[in-house]
Amino acid sequence: TVLLFVACLWLPQALALLPYTSKLGADLTASTATPISAVVGPSTRTHRHQNTMAAQVSPSDDSKMITMIGFGSLLSETSSRLTFPTLRNFRLARIPGYRRVFGHPASIFFQRQIANLETLEINSLSVEYVAPEYPGFIATVFEVPNDNLVVSNQNEHDTAVASASNVIVPSHDFLMREEEFDFVKAPYVTLTNATEKKTTTSELPTGIMCTRSTDETYLQRWGQDHFDKSYKAFGIDSIWHWSHDSGMRPCAVYLRHCYLAAKSMGPTCLDSFLDETYLIDRTTTIRQYLDEHPQVLETQPPPELAQRYNG
């Protein structure tokens, strides 16, 4: 009799939760099946591209906080707070093993009319894996609330899979925010005088970083029509399949923005940006490029973008 009474009390609540638990299970199944090349439909939401960033589920008990790693416009705390007003613990870190490259055109530069296709000044920043011993570059690291950026693993199997690989499960919102990128775990070393050049990756904390992807992955996620509207409409036939000798150059407004962002974090961060960031040829550093093209640092953004692209 007691058991029957308890069952009668519990059953309506359990039934009320079915739509949510069913949807959660379906979302997790879809996410873990294709965690990086996730297939999601195109959206009518206006495309962003403020920055290049990374995220990690916090190791603390506060599951609502994640760690972000910025290597482009997010080098600036001011710029970062435009996107994440409640960020905390803003600091510098070295990302070993990865190279920072102005290696792909960004649709948002054409949409905002700051790209110059005639001079090939159309490229944005991305990162690519090189080798564990590669010294990498200096980035920024900070914590923010996990407002629909990363889908947390919900069972032991998912956690084991994620822990055993470099796979991250981005949310649909995170994919939309950084739609052309892939996402991988990457180690970082918070800077101190003793560890600035440390490159050992064992037992280091890891963040989830936006990395270079492929055109095929983009088409799988968003479809041909979305690609045509975002890129082909501006005369761009590829996002990622450009040769090292293509002659493509950084978008001038964006390069100036990243330069000012790095400068705002002090000489160590600025030197890393100048000497550990490359053109698409993977040989020419940004310092060398700016020595040859000093006018880039005088390239002002349009008035309506002055706050967004001013370091």
Side-chain angles (χ1 to χ4, degrees):
T1 302
V2 174
L3 291 176
L4 180 60
F5 175 72
V6 172
C8 290
L9 288 177
W10 173 82
L11 184 58
Q13 298 179 30
L15 290 174
L17 289 173
L18 278 177
Y20 301 96
T21 55
S22 297
K23 181 180 185 300
L24 178 60
D27 288 346
L28 287 172
T29 300
S31 297
T32 54
T34 52
I36 292 201
S37 301
V39 181
V40 291
S43 172
T44 56
R45 175 180 168 184
T46 301
H47 171 55
R48 69 73 217 102
H49 185 294
Q50 141 68 1
N51 41 53
T52 327
M53 66 186 181
Q56 177 195 17
V57 177
S58 173
S60 72
D61 292 334
D62 187 357
S63 61
K64 295 183 179 180
M65 300 300 293
I66 58 175
T67 299
M68 311 294 291
I69 301 175
F71 55 79
S73 60
L74 292 187
L75 291 173
S76 161
E77 184 170 357
T78 299
S79 182
S80 297
R81 287 190 181 276
L82 291 176
T83 303
F84 305 107
T86 59
L87 70 82
R88 67 190 189 191
N89 197 19
F90 199 85
R91 60 203 185 275
L92 292 176
R94 177 164 288 277
I95 315 299
Y98 288 83
R99 177 166 50 212
R100 182 167 47 192
V101 181
F102 279 93
H104 74 286
S107 174
I108 196 66
F109 296 161
F110 291 94
Q111 296 175 38
R112 292 176 175 170
Q113 299 182 341
I114 59 174
N116 188 336
L117 186 57
E118 183 178 351
T119 62
L120 294 182
E121 292 173 281
I122 61 177
N123 275 13
S124 183
L125 275 175
S126 59
V127 300
E128 57 193 20
Y129 182 73
V130 180
E133 63 273 14
Y134 189 78
F137 57 87
I138 289 175
T140 55
V141 181
F142 53 93
E143 280 69 48
V144 300
N146 185 11
D147 294 331
N148 257 343
L149 293 178
V150 175
V151 177
S152 298
N153 293 310
Q154 298 293 318
N155 58 56
E156 294 181 0
H157 175 265
D158 294 331
T159 302
V161 170
S163 299
S165 68
N166 67 340
V167 166
I168 177 63
V169 183
S171 69
H172 183 272
D173 285 355
F174 195 17
L175 281 172
M176 288 175 61
R177 185 188 293 267
E178 305 290 348
E179 68 172 24
E180 71 266 35
F181 295 98
D182 277 349
F183 309 85
V184 300
K185 293 180 181 179
Y188 67 87
V189 184
T190 302
L191 290 194
T192 66
N193 291 334
T195 63
E196 179 187 338
K197 289 291 186 180
K198 181 178 178 180
T199 58
T200 301
T201 59
S202 61
E203 298 185 1
L204 291 177
T206 59
I208 304 306
M209 196 154 53
C210 301
T211 65
R212 67 176 288 111
S213 183
T214 65
D215 290 353
E216 290 76 15
T217 296
Y218 186 95
L219 290 171
Q220 184 184 22
R221 284 178 185 161
W222 307 108
Q224 185 68 50
D225 184 62
H226 189 71
F227 176 83
D228 292 346
K229 291 177 180 177
S230 298
Y231 288 93
K232 283 201 172 185
F234 300 105
I236 302 298
D237 293 327
S238 173
I239 305 172
W240 297 106
H241 298 173
W242 296 91
S243 65
H244 291 195
D245 62 356
S246 63
M248 298 175 73
R249 301 159 59 188
C251 169
V253 168
Y254 180 68
L255 172 52
R256 174 183 175 273
H257 175 45
C258 293
Y259 172 91
L260 294 175
K263 185 178 180 181
S264 73
M265 292 302 293
T268 300
C269 185
L270 178 59
D271 284 343
S272 173
F273 181 75
L274 292 173
D275 298 325
E276 296 177 325
T277 311
Y278 296 89
L279 300 190
I280 197 169
D281 62 9
R282 277 75 170 175
T283 301
T284 306
T285 66
I286 292 303
R287 188 186 297 276
Q288 293 169 331
Y289 179 74
L290 290 177
D291 284 344
E292 187 176 350
H293 304 279
Q295 72 278 5
V296 167
L297 296 183
E298 304 301 322
T299 306
Q300 299 291 322
E304 66 273 16
L305 298 175
Q307 184 181 21
R308 178 66 71 186
Y309 287 100
N310 209 29

